Amino acid sequence: MSLTPASVSLKTAQLKAVYRMLAFNEDADTFDDDYQLPPAGSSHNQWKILIYDAACRSIISPLLSVSQLRRRGVTLHLLLNSDREPIPDVPAVYFCRPTKENLAIIAQDCAKGLYGKAHLNFVTKLDRELMEDFAKLVVQTGSLDVVAGVHDQYLDFVCLEQQLFSLSKKNSYALYNGSGASEEMMENAMTEIAYGLFSQVATIGKV
């Protein structure tokens, strides 16, 4: 879907939100320009690990190259469901969908002490029920202090160009028109689309 040329650059707005996320959700207005960034590894641009699922990797990939991530202090970027070695003295920025499976993996990471601190960023709204289930898991394992923060980012769309984005919903036409689609499946798919469109609107600040 494309936007009118007069609109605010959606890609720029999404990129700024990602910069803020990589800065542990602190004000990163002064760090929009790579050349004005403090040196990677300094107190204002700490080393960190980026952990994402496949959907959020698709969001990050068109925005930032490996070298640009490096300038933002990202030493490693790894898939959430991959085998990962512990690096207990480095904080981790998680960026993923708010699903039961993803939250279970994150809770396991916290229990194992894989990283120094866990900064959790969900691509869209984290439902209260899932949040409460996750809280129970980290409390039971005594790892609540590992969680540095939880944020709903509302970035559930892929920006392909300055004014072009995709919700990246595979086989959506087949789902809506297929004979095997249940009402629940269609309702869930429509909810995902609604969250994606809301993310786009929220990112350009037009809510």
Side-chain angles (χ1 to χ4, degrees):
M1 184 179 295
S2 61
L3 304 175
T4 63
S7 301
V8 175
S9 169
L10 182 60
K11 189 171 185 177
T12 298
Q14 189 181 42
L15 188 57
K16 187 173 181 178
V18 171
Y19 286 160
R20 185 175 62 248
M21 179 181 74
L22 294 177
F24 306 124
N25 290 286
E26 297 176 0
D27 187 4
D29 286 347
T30 57
F31 301 153
D32 289 350
D33 187 345
D34 283 349
Y35 297 102
Q36 294 180 358
L37 274 174
S42 65
S43 59
H44 295 290
N45 189 13
Q46 298 179 47
W47 294 123
K48 60 190 73 76
I49 297 168
L50 176 61
I51 311 293
Y52 45 33
D53 60 10
C56 291
R57 178 178 60 180
S58 297
I59 294 170
I60 294 289
S61 294
L63 296 175
L64 292 166
S65 65
V66 172
S67 62
Q68 288 172 317
L69 284 170
R70 182 84 178 180
R71 284 198 289 271
R72 298 277 162 183
V74 177
T75 58
L76 291 171
H77 42 97
L78 306 168
L79 280 171
L80 180 64
N81 61 355
S82 64
D83 292 329
R84 290 172 277 113
E85 297 293 327
I87 311 178
D89 57 342
V90 177
V93 174
Y94 287 84
F95 184 39
C96 61
R97 294 165 298 169
T99 66
K100 186 175 182 178
E101 295 76 16
N102 284 348
L103 287 165
I105 294 173
I106 295 171
Q108 272 189 338
D109 289 356
C110 293
K112 293 176 182 176
L114 287 190
Y115 310 112
K117 287 290 184 179
H119 299 261
L120 311 186
N121 299 274
F122 296 103
V123 71
T124 188
K125 180 184 176 183
L126 172 62
D127 289 337
R128 184 176 183 85
E129 183 179 349
L130 286 175
M131 181 175 63
E132 291 175 349
D133 289 344
F134 174 74
K136 289 176 184 176
L137 287 174
V138 293
V139 167
Q140 288 170 1
T141 57
S143 54
L144 182 60
D145 60 329
V146 177
V147 180
V150 180
H151 301 270
D152 297 336
Q153 293 293 347
Y154 293 106
L155 294 172
D156 195 14
F157 59 94
V158 177
C159 234
L160 304 172
E161 295 179 14
Q162 289 297 328
Q163 303 290 7
L164 178 68
F165 74 95
S166 168
L167 297 182
S168 195
K169 305 300 180 187
K170 295 181 179 179
N171 303 318
S172 57
Y173 182 85
L175 174 62
Y176 289 128
N177 294 278
S179 57
S182 67
E183 186 173 339
E184 182 181 1
M185 290 169 60
M186 293 183 67
E187 185 174 336
N188 289 339
M190 291 173 69
T191 298
E192 288 186 3
I193 290 173
Y195 276 144
L197 292 174
F198 178 81
S199 294
Q200 183 270 323
V201 173
T203 298
I204 58 175
K206 299 295 184 181
V207 178

